[in-house]
Amino acid sequence: MKKVNYRNLPSRLSLLLLVFLLTFSTTIFAQEESANEAEATEAQTPPAEGVGDVAAGETLFKANCAACHKLDKKATGPALRGVAEKYDREWLYKWIKNSQELIQSGDALAVKLFEENNRSVMTAFPALTNTDIDNILAYTSAPKPEPTVVELPVGGGGESGSGVSNNVILGALALVFLLLVVMLFLVTSTLKRIAEANGVTYEEKEKKMPIWKAFAQNQFLVLVTSIFLLLAAGYFAYGWMMQVGVDQGYAPVQPIHYSHKIHAGANQIDCNYCHSSARKSKHSGIPSLNVCMNCHKNIAEYNGEVDPENGYTKEFYDAEIQKLYDAVGWDEAEQKYTGEEKPVKWVRIHNLPDFAYFNHSQHVTVAGIECQKCHGPVEEMEIMYQFSPLTMGWCINCHRETNVNLAGNEYYAKIHEELSKKYGVDKLTIAQMGGLECGKCHY
């Protein structure tokens, strides 16, 4: 048997193993270097001059003062942080309990404050005791807390401790697999050289007819395949054409970001507060910006939950509130309207064809249908989108499945009694009451 020179094979394998071990060990050592998580420290809030309870004062402030005052920014009234250091405490007792009485007495400081704040009448709080006021002043004298910055581990990725990350493990497995492939290739090449050196020959396989040529020569298969392709094309073409005009999932970007998740979800604002016309008219209507300003005159900053991964930070929400102020012409510093208004070009989301009649009041007020029935879980939507297809078939199915609501609805009582006897049922569906007649929606 003739010898074959493959002395270089062990050296090649050793070199590959060395490269693999160096790469793997370097990656592990790099991953093991992680920084300890920073501990958030809460700023201590000592009461002003040792007088008053800060915690109790915060509760009283939010219950009595927060509607018109903020600590660090002017609202209807001036900012109140450090107010105990600006004025005499005995004077503050009189001012908070009854500011108008102090103004009418001719007190110069009271009159000055009244004029500086656009002659806004401050609510009197005669029920507050001096101790209550001391607690409130202690809260307003507390230093402004510094924002807490949490340092993340170096490299990120969510791994904790000195454990090896999934990326390192996957990388190691990939290198092992690559090494095995290279070894297999080298072994195969060596075996072929040994076989050739010893005169071993391989029988050449007979070439077979290509599959495509065999298929083309079989007329039956060609016919069946053609019919199948035509039926499939017709099916998909029909499905595509049936989606024309169906905008389910449509979520346009609005000029001012409005989060239903925050308003209807976290703050539990009733849908009919903003869309009040849905109870009395055909359309639900686009709320006037004045409705927004009912709350946002005093809410200039967002202090709820944020989602930094998707870009929904406090800075983002605060900027959107400023867009609202710019549109209505609200001067936050002076707490008054400038008269310079700008139109907001909202993008309509739900839109029915002109030949389809739909009345919101009939469904919301008469039928008592919840908004979520058609619009989906709006209280969970950061960006509003069309939840339902709003097709004719979808509406018909709803009329077939929904029973008539007779609670406090005498209009349908008589006809419901007659038709329920006719159909032999206790409750009628909308369809049994004539809800499938063409003239109900197409007139």
Side-chain angles (χ1 to χ4, degrees), residues 191-311:
L191 291 176
K192 285 184 178 180
R193 289 168 60 188
I194 294 173
E196 291 175 357
N198 289 278
V200 178
T201 58
Y202 297 92
E203 294 182 2
E204 295 185 2
K205 295 181 179 180
E206 183 180 355
K207 293 185 179 181
K208 297 182 180 179
M209 180 182 296
I211 296 177
W212 66 269
K213 186 177 290 186
F215 174 79
Q217 293 178 358
N218 192 321
Q219 296 182 357
F220 176 75
L221 285 178
V222 172
L223 178 62
V224 171
T225 305
S226 300
I227 295 174
F228 173 78
L229 291 176
L230 287 174
L231 292 175
Y235 172 79
F236 287 108
Y238 175 79
W240 179 82
M241 288 187 290
M242 288 300 294
Q243 293 300 314
V244 175
V246 178
D247 297 322
Q248 187 175 15
Y250 177 53
V253 177
Q254 301 291 355
I256 299 178
H257 180 81
Y258 180 89
S259 172
H260 281 79
K261 182 179 180 180
I262 294 174
H263 292 81
N267 295 313
Q268 298 183 352
I269 299 176
D270 183 15
C271 299
N272 290 312
Y273 176 76
C274 299
H275 301 280
S276 58
S277 56
R279 293 174 292 185
K280 298 181 179 180
S281 69
K282 175 182 176 182
H283 300 287
S284 64
I286 299 175
S288 168
L289 294 184
N290 288 334
V291 176
C292 305
M293 292 301 295
N294 287 341
C295 298
H296 281 286
K297 276 185 178 181
N298 291 319
I299 303 176
E301 297 180 359
Y302 177 72
N303 295 308
E305 295 182 358
V306 295
D307 184 10
E309 293 184 359
N310 294 315

Side-chain angles (χ1 to χ4, degrees), residues 18 21 23 78 122 126 242 429:
L18 180 61
L21 290 175
T23 305
M122 176 179 168
M242 288 300 294
T429 62

Side-chain angles (χ1 to χ4, degrees), residues 128-441:
L128 292 178
T129 64
N130 289 352
T131 302
D132 293 334
I133 296 175
D134 286 337
N135 292 337
I136 294 174
L137 294 177
Y139 173 67
T140 60
S141 299
K144 185 177 181 180
E146 296 296 331
T148 303
V149 180
V150 179
E151 295 182 2
L152 297 176
V154 178
E159 293 82 11
S160 60
S162 59
V164 181
S165 68
N166 292 333
N167 293 333
V168 175
I169 296 175
L170 291 175
L173 292 176
L175 287 174
V176 171
F177 178 76
L178 179 62
L179 184 60
L180 290 175
V181 171
V182 173
M183 292 175 63
L184 181 61
F185 174 78
L186 294 174
V187 171
T188 304
S189 176
T190 302
L191 291 176
K192 285 184 178 180
R193 289 168 60 188
I194 294 173
E196 291 175 357
N198 289 278
V200 178
T201 58
Y202 297 92
E203 294 182 2
E204 295 185 2
K205 295 181 179 180
E206 183 180 355
K207 293 185 179 181
K208 297 182 180 179
M209 180 182 296
I211 296 177
W212 66 269
K213 186 177 290 186
F215 174 79
Q217 293 178 358
N218 192 321
Q219 296 182 357
F220 176 75
L221 285 178
V222 172
L223 178 62
V224 171
T225 305
S226 300
I227 295 174
F228 173 78
L229 291 176
L230 287 174
L231 292 175
Y235 172 79
F236 287 108
Y238 175 79
W240 179 82
M241 288 187 290
M242 288 300 294
Q243 293 300 314
V244 175
V246 178
D247 297 322
Q248 187 175 15
Y250 177 53
V253 177
Q254 301 291 355
I256 299 178
H257 180 81
Y258 180 89
S259 172
H260 281 79
K261 182 179 180 180
I262 294 174
H263 292 81
N267 295 313
Q268 298 183 352
I269 299 176
D270 183 15
C271 299
N272 290 312
Y273 176 76
C274 299
H275 301 280
S276 58
S277 56
R279 293 174 292 185
K280 298 181 179 180
S281 69
K282 175 182 176 182
H283 300 287
S284 64
I286 299 175
S288 168
L289 294 184
N290 288 334
V291 176
C292 305
M293 292 301 295
N294 287 341
C295 298
H296 281 286
K297 276 185 178 181
N298 291 319
I299 303 176
E301 297 180 359
Y302 177 72
N303 295 308
E305 295 182 358
V306 295
D307 184 10
E309 293 184 359
N310 294 315
Y312 301 121
T313 60
K314 180 183 185 304
E315 292 74 18
F316 170 80
Y317 290 120
D318 290 347
E320 297 304 309
I321 295 175
Q322 292 302 318
K323 289 182 182 179
L324 171 64
Y325 288 169
D326 185 53
V328 300
W330 175 253
D331 189 335
E332 185 183 359
E334 298 295 331
Q335 290 290 300
K336 63 181 182 181
Y337 291 101
T338 62
E340 299 178 2
E341 300 179 3
K342 298 178 182 179
V344 179
K345 299 180 180 179
W346 300 106
V347 181
R348 184 167 184 169
I349 301 174
H350 304 86
N351 193 16
L352 292 178
D354 292 339
F355 55 78
Y357 175 80
F358 179 86
N359 191 307
H360 271 85
S361 64
Q362 187 175 1
H363 290 77
V364 175
T365 304
V366 179
I369 301 296
E370 295 289 338
C371 302
Q372 287 81 355
K373 178 76 173 180
C374 300
H375 296 291
V378 293
E379 67 279 2
E380 300 175 2
M381 298 181 185
E382 181 66 41
I383 298 178
M384 186 65 187
Y385 63 92
Q386 182 174 318
F387 177 80
S388 304
L390 302 183
T391 59
M392 178 177 174
W394 178 79
C395 295
I396 288 176
N397 287 337
C398 184
H399 282 191
R400 287 172 175 166
E401 298 169 357
T402 307
N403 293 324
V404 178
N405 182 14
L406 293 178
N409 193 347
E410 298 179 359
Y411 180 82
Y412 288 113
K414 183 177 180 181
I415 189 172
H416 185 278
E417 181 180 356
E418 295 176 355
L419 290 177
S420 60
K421 292 180 181 179
K422 176 182 178 181
Y423 292 112
V425 294
D426 295 331
K427 293 184 177 181
L428 292 174
T429 62
I430 307 297
Q432 291 171 328
M433 288 279 285
L436 299 186
E437 296 177 3
C438 300
K440 295 291 184 182
C441 302

Side-chain angles (χ1 to χ4, degrees), residues 2-48:
K2 185 181 292 186
K3 293 184 179 181
V4 179
N5 186 12
Y6 53 95
R7 291 176 296 176
N8 293 333
L9 179 60
S11 61
R12 293 180 181 177
L13 293 178
S14 300
L15 180 61
L16 287 173
L17 285 172
L18 180 61
V19 172
F20 166 73
L21 290 175
L22 288 174
T23 305
F24 184 70
S25 61
T26 302
T27 309
I28 290 178
F29 291 144
Q31 287 293 326
E32 287 179 350
E33 296 178 358
S34 59
N36 295 328
E37 294 184 358
E39 297 179 356
T41 58
E42 298 182 356
Q44 298 296 327
T45 54

Side-chain angles (χ1 to χ4, degrees), residues 111-123:
V111 173
K112 179 182 177 182
L113 283 177
F114 184 60
E115 294 294 337
E116 288 178 352
N117 290 278
N118 300 322
R119 303 180 67 84
S120 299
V121 179
M122 176 179 168
T123 304

